[in-house]
Amino acid sequence: MNILIVGSGAREDIITRSLAKSKDKPSLYCYGSSNNPGIAALTAEPIYIGDLTNINEITEFAKKHKIDFAVIGPEAPLEKGVVDALFQEGIQCIGPFKELARIETSKSFAMELLTSAGIDGCPNYCVFSSMEGVEWYIKNILGGVENCVFKPDGLTGGKGVMVYGDHFQTLEEVLGYAQELVNQDQGKKFVIAEKLEGEEGSLMAFCDKNGHIVFMPWVQDNKRRYSGDKGPNTGGMGSYSLANHLLPFLTKEDDEKARGIMRKTIETLNKQSGNPFIGILYGGFIKTKDGIKFIEYNARFGDPEALNALALLDHLESDLVTIFKAMIDGTLNEISVKFRNEASFALY
Ligand code: AMP
Ligand code: GLY
C-alpha cells in the first residue's frame, strides 16, 4: 500500500510516525514544503519539496507513485481543491472536498451553517461585505467595541482574527480594519462576532464516508505568551491533554454539548453538500460562564493538537492505517479506536 502525506511539519511528522507503526507496513511518500528529517527517515524516498498549493504537481506526484490514498495535513491545499483533483484520478483522501472544507476556509459559512441548522452555541455574529451597518451592529447589538471580535472571512494563517483588548482598543480601530479590508477587496466578506470570555479547548474527530464520527481526546492549545497567560495571543506556545481525555475546566456535559454541535454539523454539512466529509473535523470551543460556545472549525488535524492525540493512540488496538481506510470505506463504526488514558504535552 502506498500512502502520500501532504505537508512536512510537526503535525505531518506524527501522522507519518503513526502510519509507519501500522501492521500493514505501507510505503510512505511525502510532498512537503521543507525537509523534515523525522519524516524523511520513514518515507520510501526523500521528501518532494514543492508548493503546497500546486495542486497539479501534487496530483502528478501521487499518480507517479501509485498512491492508494493521501492524507492532507494543512488547510491551504484543501482550500485549493487538492482532494477534488486527486479524486478525479481515483485517489481517495483523508481530507474533505473543497466545498466541504469551507467549514474552515470561510468563517461566515461555518457560522451560517450552525445558525441554519438551529445548532445552539454560536456567539452572536453578523456577516458584512461593506461598511454598511457595521458601526450600528457593534454599538447596538454587541453593546460596544469591548464585546467585539473581527474575523476576515477566508484563511489567514491563524493571524486574521482581531480581538478587542488584544488587537484593538477603540471603535475607530476596528472600523479601520474593516474599512481596510473593504478597500482592498470589494465584496470580500468579514464577520463581526460577540467576544466570548473563557478557556478554550480543541476537540478533533475522525469522520467517515457514512457520517460516523469518532472523537479524540480534548487538547488545549496554549496560545498566550508568558507564564500565567500574561502575554499576547500567539500562533501557539504548546499544548496538553489529560488522562481522562477532558480538560480541567470541562465537565461531561460540556463534552457532550461540544460533541453534539460537531455531530449536527457533520450531518448538516453532508446533507447540504450531497458529498460526505471524509477527514478530521476540528472544533474550537470556549467554556464561558454560560457554558460551551463555538469559536471555529478546522477541516484537518490541529497543529500541535495532532501531536497530543496521535501520540495517545493505542497502536496495539488502533492502527491509523485501519482508521483511515475505515474513514474512506464508511466503516468507522466497525473498528476499535482507543486512546490511552495518559496525559500528554507538546512544548514549543
Ligand atoms: P479563529 O481563527 O476563529 O480560531 O480565532 C483565533 C483565536 O481568536 C481563537 O483561538 C480565540 O482565541 C480568538 N477568538 C475567535 N473568536 C472569538 C470570540 N468570539 N470570542 C473571543 N475570542 C475569539
Ligand atoms: N492549533 C490550531 C490550529 O491548528 O489551527
Side-chain angles (χ1 to χ4, degrees), residues 178-248:
Q179 186 69 60
E180 207 176 302
L181 201 83
V182 170
N183 292 348
Q184 259 172 28
D185 196 346
Q186 298 266 328
K188 177 110 182 146
K189 288 190 203 168
F190 57 93
V191 176
I192 306 268
E194 171 192 2
K195 180 184 172 188
L196 300 168
E197 305 273 0
E199 290 271 355
E200 289 179 55
S202 314
L203 181 60
M204 298 183 288
F206 299 110
C207 304
D208 83 3
K209 184 178 146 190
N210 288 326
H212 301 118
I213 300 183
V214 174
F215 291 95
M216 299 179 220
W218 279 88
V219 182
Q220 187 174 53
D221 179 7
N222 234 281
K223 290 193 178 180
R224 294 243 169 220
R225 207 170 163 195
Y226 308 132
S227 296
D229 285 345
K230 298 264 188 313
N233 237 347
T234 69
M237 300 298 292
S239 54
Y240 72 90
S241 74
L242 297 186
N244 68 0
H245 297 169
L246 295 175
L247 291 169

Side-chain angles (χ1 to χ4, degrees), residues 300-322:
R300 50 169 176 83
F301 278 111
D303 194 348
E305 289 93 332
L307 296 170
N308 300 85
L310 293 181
L312 293 172
L313 193 62
D314 188 336
H315 289 280
L316 296 175
E317 287 202 46
S318 312
D319 185 310
L320 193 60
V321 173
T322 309

Side-chain angles (χ1 to χ4, degrees), residues 107 123 149 151 161 163 193-196 200 223 233 295-296:
K107 302 212 184 272
V149 300
K151 303 186 176 203
V161 175
V163 181
E194 171 192 2
K195 180 184 172 188
L196 300 168
E200 289 179 55
K223 290 193 178 180
N233 237 347
I295 294 263
E296 62 154 354

